[in-house]
Amino acid sequence: MTIQATASVDDRPEGFVAPKPRTSIVDVLDTLLPFAAGALFLGTWEFLVHYLKVSKFILPAPSAIVTTFVKEWPAIYVALKYTATITIGAFVTAVVTGIFFGVLLTSHKRIERTFWPYAVTMQVTPVVAIAPLVIIWVGLDRVWLSMLILAWMVAFFPMLSNTAVGMKSADHGLRNVFELYEASRWKRFRYLQLPSALPYILAGARISSGLSVIGAVVAEFVAGSGGSRGLAFMIVESGTLLNIPRMFSALLMLSIFGMSIWYVTATIQKILLQRWHESELKQEN
Amino acid sequence: MNYAPASLTTGAVPMPDVEPRRRPLVRAQHVDKTYSNGTIALKNLNLDVYPHEFISLLGPSGCGKSTALRIFAGLGAYTSGMMDWPQSMHDATGKPEREVGFVFQEPTLMPWATVFDNVYLPHRLKDRRKSEVQDRVKEVLDLVGLGQFANAYPRELSGGMKMRVSVARALVTRPKLLLMDEPFAALDEITRNRLSNDLLDIWSKAKCTVMFVTHSVFESVFLSQRIVVMAARPGRIIGELTVDAPYPRTKEFRLSSEYSAYCREVSDLLDVAMRS
Ligand SMILES: Nc1ncnc2c1ncn2[C@@H]1O[C@H](COP(=O)(O)OP(=O)(O)OP(=O)(O)O)[C@@H](O)[C@H]1O
Ligand SMILES: [Mg+2]
């Protein structure tokens, strides 16, 4: 029997170069798409407001909002600082306490069984419902603290539950490896559970960052004029004054702030996971 | 019983005994294992494992090979019987200082750590500094042929390379006993043969004892000096066979009639196991 090796099954002409995958107009258009949609939306809005002569007490045109935004910037800036402090304070506290209690909760089956129902209770109780109570307890002279607590309560749970799930997500085979070398409790935590939990913790932080903005806004609404000086209060106040362009300006600022926080946490997630985790990998298959 | 070709006994560690190879490294005596759900995984397992030998556990799926191997590793308790490490130091509580490495069926690498850090792990867990053992880590990485990949992440490696990392991790502590639970089962045949060749090479260099679980007759004959065949329900040893072919074993051995004869013999034994 003879086996003849086939030199080449390629019948393409010599020097044939496969076309590069195209990264052209289509890709550029793809990235521009959200902006185009936004521009179209704002354009239509602007046009309709002028064309239908809508009162600015009902719906101000985008141009009017921007003008007000610039004019009111000092006040908006002060309000932003206030809301940002509450939000970031609540977020950071939620991350720290969420990880701490998440680790504590999973450190022992019995602890978990004892306290988990209360963590859930805290989650399902609407914050608005207990806000007045918290404000009274903390005292009207320290409204900022009540707001911090309220925003924290909203942001805390995703951190807690994600940490708890993450701590238990370590690969079974790897747990065997750690058992084989008789790893201490601390080493197992530090080198196995914590890294395994990291993607979960970061996902929790992203949810929690969004929730802390919501928490801060709700807290400001509830606190009302009792001491809040933030963006949400600015929205309420503008509403009662029927200064709708100012209301929209505050809303715009709030959205920009929320987006920034989300972007920051997303970036941190990307940096921490990019070397190894599926969610951030650009693997060539 | 004839355990090994004479050429292999020459390198054995000096022992006070008259017959060094007669003194086992590990000895399982009447070991039973019943899982909490009532499954009798092992019934009266008796097995002596001698220093420097290459021994395979072969048997149908579910016959308790993994269970047995885990008991040898000290992972998971057994229900009754005795595990003895006659040659090892024992601590105050009488627990033997098992010097084992384990290669699981999956590579079980930490995806967040580099190849180097993955292989360093056993030492890290034993409080050895990186600077102390980095030469050793590099050495085993070279041994498995991955010296160039110390800084790669597991996801950047092929299945066979991941398995090599896993082998390196098991070897890094210089274990006396290397336990391998179907380590190459998930790999393609070409890679599997390559790794089998390399494993024999590593075994002769590392001078350790290997206990190798497989359900491939060919793999067990090619690799081992002794093949222990198990049957299921309840898991037990039904036969044993010595493969008296010299090392290094090469492709010629795979093609020899001697090899086929051994395969047939093991196959017959396995048939008995399946029927019982
Ligand atoms: N954790 C467990 N709990 C209960 N039963 C188990 C457990 N692990 C294994 N068993 C049972 O014990 C028996 C032996 O299992 P084992 O995994 O040791 O078999 P095996 O020979 O390694 O099989 P395979 O070749 O498929 O890996 C099986 O019947 C299995 O169902
Ligand atoms: Mg198994």
Side-chain angles (χ1 to χ4, degrees):
Chain A
M1 181 179 64
T2 56
I3 300 169
Q4 208 159 33
T6 319
S8 166
V9 290
D10 198 342
D11 56 359
R12 285 176 299 193
E14 191 96 5
F16 177 84
V17 180
K20 275 202 197 120
R22 282 197 285 168
T23 57
S24 55
I25 289 188
V26 180
D27 286 337
V28 177
L29 281 183
D30 265 358
T31 49
L32 287 181
L33 228 45
F35 297 100
L40 185 70
F41 176 73
L42 290 175
T44 315
W45 179 353
E46 182 86 36
F47 171 77
L48 285 178
V49 167
H50 289 296
Y51 184 76
L52 300 173
K53 298 194 171 52
V54 180
S55 156
K56 73 170 181 180
F57 295 112
I58 307 285
L59 182 68
S63 56
I65 295 170
V66 173
T67 317
T68 314
F69 189 93
V70 173
K71 200 179 71 200
E72 293 269 349
W73 173 246
I76 292 175
Y77 179 67
V78 173
L80 170 67
K81 267 207 314 206
Y82 192 91
T83 302
T85 312
I86 301 285
T87 307
I88 294 169
F91 175 55
V92 171
T93 319
V95 169
V96 173
T97 52
I99 294 176
F100 179 80
F101 285 105
V103 169
L104 194 71
L105 213 57
T106 47
S107 65
H108 207 290
K109 265 259 145 14
R110 197 158 284 147
I111 299 182
E112 183 174 355
R113 218 172 298 144
T114 313
F115 292 107
W116 188 248
Y118 297 101
V120 175
T121 310
M122 193 177 144
Q123 155 73 0
V124 297
T125 310
V127 169
V128 197
I130 42 171
L133 194 60
V134 171
I135 291 172
I136 290 168
W137 278 350
V138 175
L140 285 168
D141 49 337
R142 283 183 301 176
V143 181
W144 64 270
L145 184 58
S146 338
M147 289 198 284
L148 189 71
I149 292 172
L150 290 170
W152 168 81
M153 287 180 72
V154 180
F156 172 69
F157 194 77
M159 278 317 295
L160 177 79
S161 65
N162 271 38
T163 306
V165 171
M167 291 300 289
K168 293 189 275 188
S169 73
D171 176 68
H172 183 73
L174 267 174
R175 278 206 293 251
N176 273 325
V177 173
F178 276 69
E179 200 188 325
L180 181 73
Y181 294 108
E182 293 167 336
S184 64
R185 195 71 200 264
W186 162 250
K187 289 225 168 66
R188 195 161 38 127
F189 170 70
R190 168 69 186 81
Y191 295 113
L192 177 63
Q193 289 182 294
L194 206 55
S196 305
L198 190 64
Y200 294 83
I201 292 176
L202 291 170
R206 259 167 94 161
I207 300 169
S208 179
S209 68
L211 284 180
S212 54
V213 179
I214 296 175
V217 167
V218 170
E220 280 188 42
F221 279 175
V222 177
S225 56
S228 158
R229 291 273 157 273
L231 286 169
F233 178 68
M234 197 171 180
I235 290 171
V236 177
E237 191 189 47
S238 307
T240 53
L241 298 174
L242 268 182
N243 191 345
I244 307 301
R246 187 168 176 267
M247 191 181 191
F248 267 98
S249 304
L251 192 59
L252 176 65
M253 189 66 249
L254 204 54
S255 306
I256 294 173
F257 173 63
M259 287 273 278
S260 324
I261 275 216
W262 185 85
Y263 187 76
V264 168
T265 48
T267 308
I268 292 174
Q269 179 171 14
K270 188 163 253 152
I271 291 169
L272 287 177
L273 297 184
Q274 62 184 354
R275 293 303 308 261
W276 65 276
H277 198 257
E278 296 293 342
S279 64
E280 299 296 342
L281 284 183
K282 288 192 215 71
Q283 188 138 9
E284 300 130 47
N285 290 309
Chain B
M1 201 184 295
N2 180 8
Y3 284 115
S7 65
L8 269 147
T9 60
T10 50
V13 281
M15 211 76 64
D17 302 45
V18 191
E19 270 184 283
R21 289 193 55 82
R22 280 268 165 223
R23 199 169 159 204
L25 179 68
V26 205
R27 154 170 277 179
Q29 282 176 299
H30 313 295
V31 169
D32 296 342
K33 167 79 185 188
T34 307
Y35 281 105
S36 51
N37 64 4
T39 310
I40 302 170
L42 292 175
K43 184 99 186 135
N44 194 22
L45 180 88
N46 293 291
L47 184 61
D48 289 356
V49 178
Y50 292 87
H52 307 282
E53 76 172 333
F54 198 121
I55 175 171
S56 284
L57 284 186
L58 184 73
S61 184
C63 70
K65 304 183 294 291
S66 300
T67 306
L69 210 62
R70 290 174 61 85
I71 288 174
F72 273 85
L75 287 170
Y78 41 97
T79 318
S80 64
M82 209 168 81
M83 290 296 296
D84 197 15
W85 289 71
Q87 307 196 16
S88 300
M89 312 268 277
H90 291 65
D91 68 8
T93 62
K95 200 169 62 124
E97 210 175 277
R98 298 184 212 90
E99 291 167 66
V100 296
F102 205 118
V103 181
F104 296 89
Q105 185 165 348
E106 306 294 321
T108 60
L109 304 178
M110 303 179 288
W112 55 83
T114 60
V115 165
F116 184 95
D117 282 343
N118 266 292
V119 175
Y120 167 54
L121 179 74
H123 280 308
R124 168 172 269 160
L125 297 179
K126 297 272 183 227
D127 287 318
R128 302 284 298 276
R129 294 243 198 99
K130 219 178 239 188
S131 54
E132 269 178 77
V133 292
Q134 63 178 4
D135 290 342
R136 175 63 187 158
V137 173
K138 294 217 178 84
E139 193 182 317
V140 282
L141 279 177
D142 283 334
L143 189 64
V144 299
L146 287 179
Q148 304 298 312
F149 291 88
N151 293 318
Y153 281 80
R155 66 176 173 90
E156 296 161 344
L157 307 177
S158 70
M161 287 157 92
K162 281 183 203 156
M163 220 57 231
R164 285 169 190 271
V165 178
S166 192
V167 173
R169 180 181 62 196
L171 288 172
V172 76
T173 54
R174 297 182 200 280
K176 286 203 179 117
L177 181 59
L178 178 61
L179 302 159
M180 307 180 89
D181 192 355
E182 303 188 36
F184 310 146
L187 304 174
D188 63 277
E189 192 175 334
I190 299 171
T191 313
R192 198 159 58 222
N193 288 349
R194 274 255 297 285
L195 282 171
S196 298
N197 290 332
D198 291 355
L199 175 62
L200 286 183
D201 199 38
I202 288 167
W203 168 63
S204 69
K205 283 183 189 147
K207 296 189 171 54
C208 57
T209 309
V210 178
M211 250 179 114
F212 192 93
V213 165
T214 176
H215 43 219
S216 158
V217 170
F218 305 109
E219 202 170 43
S220 67
V221 171
F222 181 72
L223 290 171
S224 31
Q225 295 172 316
R226 194 149 68 100
I227 299 170
V228 172
V229 180
M230 293 179 69
R233 271 166 289 276
R236 64 199 185 280
I237 294 172
I238 60 144
E240 198 180 304
L241 192 123
T242 306
V243 181
D244 258 331
Y247 294 89
R249 293 179 181 171
T250 56
K251 202 174 150 202
E252 277 65 52
F253 177 58
R254 272 191 211 280
L255 299 173
S256 66
S257 55
E258 191 192 6
Y259 177 75
S260 324
Y262 277 124
C263 289
R264 165 166 297 232
E265 214 173 323
V266 174
S267 228
D268 290 344
L269 206 51
L270 198 56
D271 281 342
V272 176
M274 301 284 238
R275 272 197 306 271
S276 69

